[in-house]
Each structure stands twice: as structure tokens, then as C-alpha cells.
Amino acid sequence: MAATALKRIGLVLGLPVILFAVWYVATDNSQSFYVPPLRTILSVFDDTWTGQRLRADVLPSALRLLAGYALATVLGVGLGVVIGSYRRVRAVAEPVLEFFRAIPPPVLVPVIMLFAGIGDGMKVIVIVSGCVWPILLNTVEGVRAVDGVLADTARSYRITGPARLRHLLLRSASPQIMAGMRQALSIAIILMVISEMFAASNGLGFTIVQFQRSFAIPEMWTGIILLGLLGFVLSALFRFAENRVLAWYHGLRSAQRKS
Amino acid sequence: MLEVRGLNKVYEGHQRRVEAVRDLTFTIDAGDLVCLVGPSGCGKTTLLKCIAGLLAPTAGEVLLDGRPVTGPPRGMAVVFQEYGRSLFPWMSVRDNVALPLKQKRVAKARRRELVDEALAAVGLAGTESAYPWQLSGGMQQRVAIARAVAYEPEVLLMDEPFAAVDAQTRADLEDLVRALWKRLGVTILFVTHDIDEAVYLGQQVIMLSASPTVVQERLAIDLPAERDQLHTRADARFTHLRTHVYEQIQAAKRGTRTDAAVASVAE
Ligand SMILES: Nc1ncnc2c1ncn2[C@@H]1O[C@H](COP(=O)(O)OP(=O)(O)OP(=O)(O)O)[C@@H](O)[C@H]1O
Ligand SMILES: [Mg+2]
């Protein structure tokens, strides 16, 4: 038990550790202004990301990210269930959805700034506008793929309305919904940073750009490393949640593979 | 009382038009146990779905207590032929059986009682917390049966419910169905392709012809109400009845050979 846990941790951390070691060794004698030795970068890390800065810059970024992501999830799943349930709505909505999905979300930042200003609201809207599509489209697919026999079973036991939504539609579509949410998570991080680079007075993206503009290159690199760590932690949390929500699905799949 | 009047169902596909049921008329009295036999593909499942209000007939109608069935009626439970796909894979066995009861607003304590009783009756006590996909096919089928039994329906429709269980379990479940039927006074329509099973279980046996499907014959099973696996099956009357049903089914199959098998016409 403990041995397998150790092995898993080793597998997860192995490659990052190697990459960091390579980075460390390769830049050790670096004279380049833009690529300082990793040793230098790490030595300024503590002084750069003090408690004060975490509170003033990292926390607002994280809150925007969570707000945008949560809103996109609610919106995407809600609309997805409606669109997936009614063939008529789907016929009307699908071309429009494909169009919006094809627009790279960063392009929307200047447009959204026009009407949403440069406050937190704008950043949340930017995140939502990029994250909602994978969640929405995956939910539509998931709801459409509900097994006919299971739907008949629910209907014959008069499981309708909210109970049907909760016990049949959402659960049955949950593997697809989770897949959409996983895509959306990385989009959310990217858009958080980009929206803060455009117009902001605090946040991770803002701080990184500030460092770059004031030629504080090692500090800029610490920001990038922190961003990577944030992404890593978020995806680990996501995987933890997914394993709980989809435990039945993984069990079902492995049972089917065995037979 | 369940009435099927002039029922006709045609599936309209892209290329194919399949007449699953030609013209069916029969009635089932309240509290009756009727078995339905017929060759594979003759539309038994289609008929059941029409009765359950899951499928709108192309022509004709289904009446339950005099009212036309337009959607799933209250107090009806269906055991589907595809038992594996009719269980919720994200719910434990207990929750699968309990969900319809919850929907029916059965109080919690009573719900627990009904679930435990039903699972014990099908020999699944102790599997409450397992997921359906952790069970064998026959066990899954019994969960679906337990769910229908716990529901305490007035009308119970069963579509080849014992197809995946071994002979011994099958015999036990047959006796269970008869015991429940006697105890609860429920109306049962039981689809099977097993002629012996139909004769052993039913008060009546309705034989369907092959496609185009009509009622081939309706036979009253005049065996004593107390039946048991050993004596009833050895009874001369039983043998006589099963031979009769067998002959009718054979005749039904022969009758179709002259009558262009499946009514599938390219459009
Ligand atoms: N959804 C559907 N669309 C088109 N055709 C269908 C559909 N369901 C059934 N059929 C056709 O209708 C006919 C009757 O099918 P049905 O499933 O009712 O037969 P059955 O008597 O239950 O057969 P079995 O004993 O094999 O279960 C078959 O020819 C089948 O191909
Ligand atoms: Mg069938």
C-alpha cells in the first residue's frame, strides 16, 4: 500500500524534478540577462512572494479564476442540459455555438473591455466567455447520449422533473461534463493571466508584466514558476474531485473491459 | 382492467418501415396473471412499451380501467428485457430499488422495509451497497425484479425477466412471481419465450403469431391454483397444455412463411 503510494508520487514528480534539475544545471553559468541562473531565480522567490504580495496579487487572481470558472460551469451545464434535451433548440443553437466556440477567447478581451470596463467584472466575464464552450458542448453530448432503456425506466417509474435532472441527466452526463470542465480549467488559467495583462492594477498576470517592464527578470521568472505551481495544484484538486464524482464510471468501465 | 384494442405499431425509419404489430385486441382482467408467448421479433416488447405508455401506437389504443393510456400510468411497474441497461450504474443496489419509492413519497422507514423485503425475496440480501456493475447478469436481472416488486404496483409488466438466470434460480423466481401475485392481487403480464414457463406461471396464455403480428390464440390454463415445480410439471394436463401451445407456436411460424416475413418495405 505505502509502496504503491510512493511509486505513484515518484511517477508524478519524477519528470518535473528532472526538468528542474536540467534547467538548474544548464543555466548555472548563464550570463544572459533574460535567462538568469535558476539558482538566482529561486533565491529571490521568497522575497518576491511575501505574504503581503500573496494577499494583494495572488488572492484576487484566484478569486477571479474561481468566480469565472464556477459561473461558466453553472451556465454551461444549465444551457447544455436544455439544448441537449430538446431537438428543436439544438437545431437552432448548434451552428451558433460552433461559431462562438471557434473564436479564440483572448480576442474577446478588448471587446469585453469596451462594455464591461477594466474591473473584476471584466476579468470574470472574459474567463466565463472562454470556459463556457467546452463545458456547454460536452454537456450537450452527454445529455444526448443518455441510454434509452434507462430513460424509459425513469419514465415508467414516473421519475420526472428535478428528480430526473438530478438522478438521470446530470449523473449520466457527468463523465462528459467532467471532461469539459477539465478543458475549461486550463482555459480559465490562461484567460485569468491574459485579462490581467491587458488592464489591471493587481493580480498574477499584472505582476508578471510589471516585473518584465521594470527589467526585474529573475522576479518575472518566479511569477511564471508560481503560475505553473498554481496550475499544478488546481489540476491535482480537480483530479481528486473527479475521482470521487466518477468513481462509478471508472468501476463500470473496468468491469466492462474485463468481461 | 387492461384493454388492448386494435393495436398497430409501425416504426418509421430512414429507409425501412417496420410493422412491429399488425392488429392486437385482448383484455386482461384485474388481478389476472397472463403470459405472452410469441416468436422472436414478433413485437412483444413493442406491445409492452405501448401498454406502459412509453410508445404511442400507430393505430388503436390501450385502456387501463377504462381510461386511455397516453403516458406511463400510476401504479405500473415494468421489468425491461435489457435489464443491464435499466439499472442506474451510479447508484448502489439499495438506491436503485429505493429511488422509485422515494419518488412515490413512501416514508423512509417503510421504504427501507420494502427494499429489504424485496431484495431478500429475490435472494439478494447482503448486496445492498454493491453497484450493479459489480454483480453478475443474473443478479442484475434480480435487482430489476426487486425494484418492481418493492414498488407494489397494481399492474406489473415483465419482459423476459428470467432470461439471464440459471435454471434453479429461475424456478425459484417463477414461484416468487406466483406467490407475489397471490399475495398482492397484482395484475401481471409476463412475456416469455419459454413455453413451459408460460404454462406453469399463467392463468392465461396469449400466443402471438409471427409478423404481421396478431393474436394467434388465447388459452386458459386450467391447472390448479396451487402449483409447484415438481408436481405441476409432471401433471398430464400440464404436458397436454404445453404440447398444445408448442403446436400453435409452430403453426404460427409456418403460417408466416407464405406471408413475406418481416413487413419491411423500401420507401
Ligand atoms: N425502435 C425501433 N425502430 C425500428 N424498428 C424496431 C424498433 N424496435 C423494434 N423494432 C422492430 O420491430 C419488430 C418487433 O420488435 P420487438 O423488440 O417488439 O420484438 P420482440 O417480440 O420483443 O422480440 P424478442 O423476443 O427478440 O425480444 C422487430 O422487427 C424489430 O426489428
Ligand atoms: Mg423483446
Side-chain angles (χ1 to χ4, degrees), chain A residues 53-82:
Chain A
R53 178 156 263 144
L54 288 178
R55 221 171 307 118
D57 286 309
V58 179
L59 189 64
S61 286
L63 290 179
R64 287 168 196 148
L65 178 78
L66 285 183
Y69 188 61
L71 212 61
T73 303
V74 171
L75 219 63
V77 172
L79 287 175
V81 167
V82 173

Side-chain angles (χ1 to χ4, degrees), chain A residues 146-161 163-164 166-169 171-174 245 247-256, chain B residues 49 52-55 70-80 82-83 85-91 99-100 102-103 131 133-134 144 147-149 151:
Chain A
V146 170
D147 188 286
V149 178
L150 211 52
D152 273 351
T153 304
R155 209 144 84 80
S156 74
Y157 284 114
R158 304 166 69 91
I159 297 165
T160 52
R164 181 180 140 85
R166 183 168 149 218
H167 295 298
L168 180 68
L169 294 185
R171 294 311 298 273
S172 171
S174 59
V245 174
W248 67 270
Y249 181 68
H250 299 313
L252 175 68
R253 289 286 300 275
S254 70
Q256 282 169 345
Chain B
K49 281 188 180 169
L54 296 169
L55 206 58
T70 51
R74 200 176 290 279
M76 184 184 277
V78 186
V79 177
F80 290 90
E82 299 97 336
Y83 53 91
R85 285 164 59 199
S86 89
L87 299 174
F88 298 95
W90 44 85
M91 286 181 199
L99 181 64
K102 217 163 150 186
Q103 197 63 13
Y131 284 101
W133 38 266
Q134 292 172 318
R147 178 169 61 187
V149 167
Y151 195 62

